[in-house]
């Protein structure tokens, strides 16, 4: 998918079946302290705690998840991975900002959030902030085979990070029984995607270990190419990309004007 052409939608039931999107890769443009492996699937910050901003090589398709797994952590720093989207073409940047927050966001057309369990949701009209900031976890989180986000249905299995606890440590950790890791833990999986709306805008969603955090930002320009942003910041030292197989088109998809033109 080239930036010159609009993003290709996944899950449009009115059009012909579309092939799987190409495998996700990191862009060759990245922060000064980042080293990307030859496959383009692993990004490591080699020094300091900053200059760790990375981008997707291609703009995302609607409903396509840019999914990373935290591979290495580094003690001594305060802060964690940051994740989001940008309408800025990485190749057009005069220099990659030192930080995604606030530097990249201050350039405009970028939406980035620090990964936490709170403050990632945008309240809907008439909804209290506390209600939006505390997502309810369905009991069948790891039983449902698909994660449904607006008009898209995504296979859940690879979205979920899995711990490898030491001997008897699972007796002390209830999270092991649920097979759900803390969002900033090693082997945790985090993803970002956007969902177009009929008014020509899009909502950005962040997924943490198979759970949709809800809309993290609204009003994104859905008609413009949107690149994923991953800031390998502070205590997060290395991440690797996880590839998803979307399979057949989702019957959950509701046609919209944007999908019709894509």
């Amino acid at each position: 998918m080239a930036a010159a052409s609009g993003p290709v939608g996944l899950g449009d039931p009115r059009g012909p079946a579309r092939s799987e999107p190409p495998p996700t890769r990191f862009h060759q443009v990245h922060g000064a302290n980042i080293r990307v492996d030859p496959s383009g699937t692993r990004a490591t910050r080699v020094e300091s705690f900053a200059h760790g901003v990375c981008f997707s090589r291609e703009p995302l398709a609607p409903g396509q998840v840019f999914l990373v797994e935290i591979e290495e952590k580094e003690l001594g720093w305060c802060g964690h991975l940051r994740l989001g989207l940008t309408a800025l073409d990485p190749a057009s940047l005069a220099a990659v900002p030192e930080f995604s927050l606030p530097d990249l966001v201050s350039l405009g057309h970028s939406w980035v959030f620090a990964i936490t369990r709170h403050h990632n949701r945008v309240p809907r009209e008439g909804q209290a902030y506390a209600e939006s900031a505390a997502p309810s976890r369905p009991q069948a989180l790891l039983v449902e085979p698909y994660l449904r986000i607006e008009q898209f249905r995504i296979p859940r299995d690879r979205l979920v990070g899995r711990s490898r606890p030491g001997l008897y440590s699972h007796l002390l950790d209830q999270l092991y029984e649920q097979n759900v890791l803390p969002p900033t833990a090693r082997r945790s999986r985090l993803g970002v995607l956007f969902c177009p709306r009929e008014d020509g805008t899009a909502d950005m969603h962040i997924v943490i270990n198979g759970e949709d955090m809800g809309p993290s930002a609204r009003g994104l320009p859905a008609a413009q190419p949107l690149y994923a942003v991953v800031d390998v910041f502070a205590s997060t030292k290395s991440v690797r990309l996880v590839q998803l197989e979307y399979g057949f088109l989702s019957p959950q998809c509701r046609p919209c004007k944007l999908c019709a033109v894509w």
Side-chain angles (χ1 to χ4, degrees), residues 224-246:
Q224 296 183 28
L226 293 170
Y227 294 82
V229 178
V230 178
D231 192 350
V232 187
F233 176 70
S235 65
T236 304
K237 182 175 178 63
S238 180
V239 298
R240 72 174 181 90
L241 287 169
V242 179
Q243 307 301 329
L244 297 177
E245 296 179 0
Y246 295 88

Side-chain angles (χ1 to χ4, degrees), residues 4 13-14 28 49 54 65 79 82 89 91 94 101 110 175 179 205 211 215 221 233 247 251 259:
R14 297 190 300 176
Q28 62 269 24
F49 64 94
C54 305
V65 183
R82 294 162 173 185
D89 185 345
L101 288 172
S110 301
L175 293 175
N179 203 24
H205 287 250
E211 182 182 359
F233 176 70
C259 288

